[in-house]
Amino acid sequence: MEEVIRMKRVFLAACAAAVASVTVVGCTTAAAGPVSEADAARVDAAQADTAATERAVTDAEQVLVDKARELLIEDCMAAEGFRYRPVPVAGVEERQGSGYVLDDVGWAREHGYGTELQDRLVAILQDDTNNAYANALPKAERLRYSKALDGDASADMLTAELPMGGAIQTPADSCVAHAKGELYGDFAAWFQAEKVAANLVGLYADDLVADERFETVLAAWSECMRERGHDYPDPPAIREDLPRLTDGLSDEKALDVEQELAVAEAICATRETSLVSTTRDLESEYRGRLWQYRDDVITYQRLQHAAVEQAREILAAEPAPSN
């Protein structure tokens, strides 16, 4: 029982880091258990709808959306009388490696678990000139800057109902909300759909990690790792152990440690066992049972693709940087 609870925790944590896509390894939708005849009919309808929905956006497409969002925020803040510099967004490489298990041997061989990439991105974000600009403003203007950028919690709020109960709110009027509204076409619809899609994992994590098919393939993966000299029960256990393994090492040596483990993890998950493919199959099966959320997922995917097309237009119209 304790192992199942731990597996659910690490499964949820991995999915929380990869909510940009509803269909990442280890991070989709579901609810297990016996299915009644009536529910089976709903499942069939849901699966037919799922087949008709658009694919999840790629990391490269999401990069375009994020870059366009920053440009829209810049324009909105300028209209409010403030300077705002677009914040650098994570590139494709930085977005890999955050799921439950690594599935790209080439990426693992080059980046390990991506610690160096993430550290570089954090350093860039910490050097954000917008913070220095805002902090230099007089108090009243600093408050107005904050409200213009992120909204006023005491004003109109949008509320999204979460699949596992409860709700989350966000200001309806801000430059961030305006930018997302421009991209997705309907910020309120996007906010509700995205929060549902990003929080479905809690509905099925218990059942998926306890599924005999998952347990079997995970045990095979663990044995594969053990044969390579790495005794870990599951992929997240490696990430939990990395700080200990790399403590006191130079950046170069730490990367060597990461690369060895990451390559072994990915090879065992994709070539020596079917951990990646089995998990994807289970996700598809479990996801089909969540017929009650299919409208939200379809809306989420539709608006994602609308945002990609809008982002392309925005970026194409942006003047090329001067030398």
Side-chain angles (χ1 to χ4, degrees):
M1 177 60 72
E2 288 183 1
E3 178 61 18
V4 170
I5 293 173
R6 193 192 78 84
M7 282 293 297
K8 178 186 178 183
R9 176 176 58 80
V10 296
F11 197 84
L12 286 166
C15 291
V19 297
S21 167
V22 181
T23 53
V24 253
V25 174
C27 308
T28 19
T29 53
V35 181
S36 68
E37 192 171 319
D39 284 346
R42 294 191 185 98
V43 168
D44 289 341
Q47 289 175 332
D49 280 346
T50 299
T53 60
E54 299 180 84
R55 59 169 177 78
V57 300
T58 65
D59 286 338
E61 289 170 332
Q62 189 60 46
V63 169
L64 298 180
V65 173
D66 292 349
K67 286 182 176 179
R69 181 199 63 224
E70 288 300 306
L71 293 176
L72 290 170
I73 293 175
E74 179 184 29
D75 291 344
C76 178
M77 291 296 285
E80 295 290 333
F82 295 112
R83 190 201 79 190
Y84 179 89
R85 297 288 182 259
V87 176
V89 304
V92 173
E93 285 190 328
E94 288 88 355
R95 293 168 192 256
Q96 294 181 256
S98 60
Y100 176 77
V101 59
L102 294 178
D103 63 353
D104 187 329
V105 176
W107 187 90
R109 183 169 286 117
E110 183 174 358
H111 300 294
Y113 288 94
T115 300
E116 189 177 20
L117 293 173
Q118 293 302 318
D119 288 346
R120 187 168 63 202
L121 182 61
V122 168
I124 292 173
L125 295 177
Q126 287 177 339
D127 196 32
D128 181 9
T129 60
N130 295 314
N131 292 330
Y133 170 79
N135 290 333
L137 293 172
K139 183 177 180 179
E141 284 297 278
R142 188 163 64 248
L143 179 60
R144 194 169 74 83
Y145 176 97
S146 177
K147 289 182 177 181
L149 179 61
D150 295 314
D152 185 351
S154 65
D156 291 340
M157 302 287 286
L158 295 178
T159 301
E161 302 297 328
L162 301 177
M164 295 192 69
I168 188 169
Q169 292 187 315
T170 192
D173 184 23
S174 69
C175 281
V176 171
H178 170 77
K180 291 182 178 180
E182 286 287 309
L183 285 165
Y184 296 103
D186 184 335
F187 178 55
W190 163 253
F191 181 66
Q192 174 64 43
E194 191 270 337
K195 293 309 174 190
V196 169
N199 288 280
L200 286 171
V201 62
L203 297 177
Y204 72 93
D206 280 338
D207 296 309
L208 194 149
V209 300
D211 190 297
E212 183 179 356
R213 293 164 293 178
F214 181 78
E215 291 180 335
T216 298
V217 74
L218 183 61
W221 174 90
S222 182
E223 177 61 25
C224 176
M225 291 294 290
R226 191 156 39 247
E227 290 174 355
R228 284 163 171 73
H230 311 299
D231 190 5
Y232 293 100
D234 52 59
I238 302 175
R239 293 155 178 77
E240 292 175 0
D241 200 29
L242 276 178
R244 180 187 67 82
L245 295 174
T246 59
D247 184 40
L249 298 181
S250 66
D251 291 344
E252 183 178 356
K253 293 290 187 182
L255 181 58
D256 288 341
V257 170
E258 280 197 32
Q259 289 168 329
E260 179 182 348
L261 283 166
V263 168
E265 174 183 321
I267 288 176
C268 284
T270 60
R271 299 177 185 175
E272 300 299 323
T273 76
S274 62
L275 179 59
V276 168
S277 60
T278 297
T279 301
R280 283 177 175 156
D281 290 344
L282 286 172
E283 287 171 342
S284 180
E285 176 183 326
Y286 279 80
R287 185 168 62 252
R289 301 180 187 181
L290 285 181
W291 50 268
Q292 66 269 45
Y293 294 106
R294 70 179 184 272
D295 288 344
D296 287 301
V297 173
I298 290 170
T299 298
Y300 173 71
Q301 292 179 328
R302 175 176 58 79
L303 294 181
Q304 273 192 313
H305 282 270
V308 171
E309 294 309 309
Q310 186 71 3
R312 286 197 174 105
E313 293 182 13
I314 291 169
L315 294 172
E318 183 69 9
S322 57
N323 293 326

